[in-house]
Amino acid sequence: MMNAIELLKQDHDKVKKLLEEISDTTERAFKKRAELLSKIAMELEVHTTLEEEDFYPAFKAAGAKEELKMFHEAKEEHRAVEALVLPDLLDTDPGTVEFSGRIKVLKELLEHHIEEEEEEMFKTAQEIMSAEQLSTLGKQMGEKKVKLMKKAA
Ligand SMILES: [Fe+2]
Ligand SMILES: [Fe+2]
């Protein structure tokens, strides 16, 4: 059984791998690119929902002003990806260099976001939330993840 942080980190590793994979493709592999992008979009949707509905609120409630700032920063980064970068990418022909450029931006944004979550938010969470709370939250998120994945598939 994974706690909340382990669960989120496992998602991060999966998305990072998919981003490496799609970055390694060329314009000629447009079918593979479209396939990988829809996988990335689905993984992100589920992951972001779990963070915004479950993990972030618990983190915010356990913390003070500094944690509140981290919470708003992370949400703003989600919004940049969800409202701007990802919709543009889904609307871009995967056989073009424009797509390659946009993938690079998505990868950089997400790697930055993931690093900040893991190095700042999750580390702080381990200090301000109890092991029991993190494991209860992990269980709840794991169950919700199964449902969200089914819905997104
Ligand atoms: Fe996030
Ligand atoms: Fe995350």
Side-chain angles (χ1 to χ4, degrees):
M1 194 45 106
M2 284 185 291
N3 76 23
I5 290 173
E6 289 161 348
L7 183 144
L8 293 173
K9 277 189 173 175
Q10 195 185 59
D11 286 352
H12 287 174
D13 290 345
K14 189 165 184 191
V15 169
K16 282 200 281 188
K17 243 171 96 185
L18 289 167
L19 287 166
E20 290 292 341
E21 234 182 289
I22 200 167
S23 298
D24 284 344
T25 60
T26 64
E27 289 75 47
R28 284 166 64 194
F30 53 89
K31 257 193 180 160
K32 171 124 199 177
R33 280 183 161 186
E35 227 178 82
L36 285 167
L37 182 63
S38 78
K39 247 192 221 174
I40 290 169
M42 190 185 98
E43 289 290 333
L44 283 179
E45 195 196 314
V46 171
H47 180 77
T48 305
T49 303
L50 292 173
E51 285 185 338
E52 293 198 359
E53 290 183 1
D54 301 274
F55 187 77
Y56 286 7
F59 175 77
K60 191 174 81 167
K65 194 181 168 195
E66 205 45 47
E67 288 73 30
L68 186 65
K69 214 163 89 188
M70 282 184 215
F71 164 84
H72 284 295
E73 183 187 347
K75 271 191 70 166
E76 198 57 19
E77 286 173 352
H78 282 182
R79 204 167 68 86
V81 170
E82 279 182 332
L84 187 73
V85 182
L86 204 54
D88 278 356
L89 248 174
L90 288 162
D91 222 25
T92 305
D93 179 350
T96 61
V97 182
E98 190 182 14
F99 187 91
S100 316
R102 286 184 158 158
I103 282 292
K104 189 155 184 248
V105 172
L106 178 74
K107 186 168 178 280
E108 285 171 354
L109 270 174
L110 287 172
E111 282 173 351
H112 161 84
H113 177 73
I114 286 171
E115 198 189 321
E116 282 199 339
E117 281 186 338
E118 293 190 358
E119 296 307 317
E120 292 174 19
M121 190 186 261
F122 296 177
K123 276 194 179 151
T124 305
Q126 265 160 335
E127 288 163 15
I128 63 173
M129 292 161 83
S130 70
E132 197 197 342
Q133 189 183 7
L134 288 170
S135 86
T136 307
L137 195 57
K139 186 171 179 278
Q140 176 192 317
M141 285 160 66
E143 284 162 7
K144 189 167 181 176
K145 188 179 169 183
V146 175
K147 284 185 206 150
L148 289 171
M149 289 297 255
K150 265 189 208 150
K151 231 170 71 184

